[in-house]
């Protein structure tokens, strides 16, 4: 396990690995929404995971050397935070 973590850190793949795990969870939540559309917790989970994934992609852009990508990364983090806040707000309105 230590070798795997060292390999991921050396190759800068930690954010990509977390992004893949979140995308798998996001797909599971989307399937759950189609199975049971009346449950608002599935929609909240989907929106929160989508916003978090957007924020992680923004962090990946910020770590780059290109200035325009850094600016785009900051805006992606802001949009992800807005998505998460709006998702929680609408969840509280429904329940």
């Amino acid at each position: 396990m230590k070798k795997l973590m060292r390999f991921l850190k050396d190759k800068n793949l930690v954010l990509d690995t977390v992004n893949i795990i979140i995308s798998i969870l996001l797909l599971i939540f989307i399937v759950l929404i189609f199975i049971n559309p009346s449950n608002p917790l599935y929609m909240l989970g989907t929106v929160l995971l989508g916003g978090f994934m957007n924020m992680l992609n923004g962090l990946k852009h910020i770590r780059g050397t290109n200035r325009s990508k850094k600016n785009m990364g900051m805006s992606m983090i802001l949009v992800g935070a807005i998505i998460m806040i709006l998702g929680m707000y609408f969840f509280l309105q429904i329940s």
Side-chain angles (χ1 to χ4, degrees):
M1 190 67 172
K2 287 184 180 181
K3 288 183 181 180
L4 178 64
M5 288 304 292
R6 188 177 315 131
F7 174 75
L8 291 176
K9 286 181 182 179
D10 289 343
K11 300 292 183 181
N12 294 327
L13 296 175
V14 175
L15 289 177
D16 292 331
T17 306
V18 173
N19 206 359
I20 290 171
I21 292 169
I22 290 174
S23 64
I24 291 170
L25 287 172
L26 189 62
L27 286 174
I28 291 170
F29 270 103
I30 290 172
V31 169
L32 289 173
I33 287 174
F34 282 117
I35 291 173
N36 189 4
S38 63
N39 192 346
L41 285 175
Y42 296 152
M43 183 60 79
L44 177 66
T46 304
V47 171
L48 290 178
L49 283 172
F52 190 65
M53 183 185 286
N54 202 13
M55 291 174 76
L56 280 179
N57 287 331
L59 282 175
K60 189 173 179 180
H61 284 291
I62 286 177
R63 294 176 88 191
T65 58
N66 193 355
R67 183 171 172 85
S68 65
K69 285 200 174 201
K70 286 184 180 184
N71 291 337
M72 185 174 68
M74 287 184 221
S75 65
M76 288 175 73
I77 289 175
L78 179 65
V79 169
I82 290 171
I83 288 171
M84 292 174 77
I85 290 169
L86 286 175
M88 288 185 279
Y89 173 74
F90 288 125
F91 173 74
L92 292 174
Q93 292 294 321
I94 291 172
S95 57

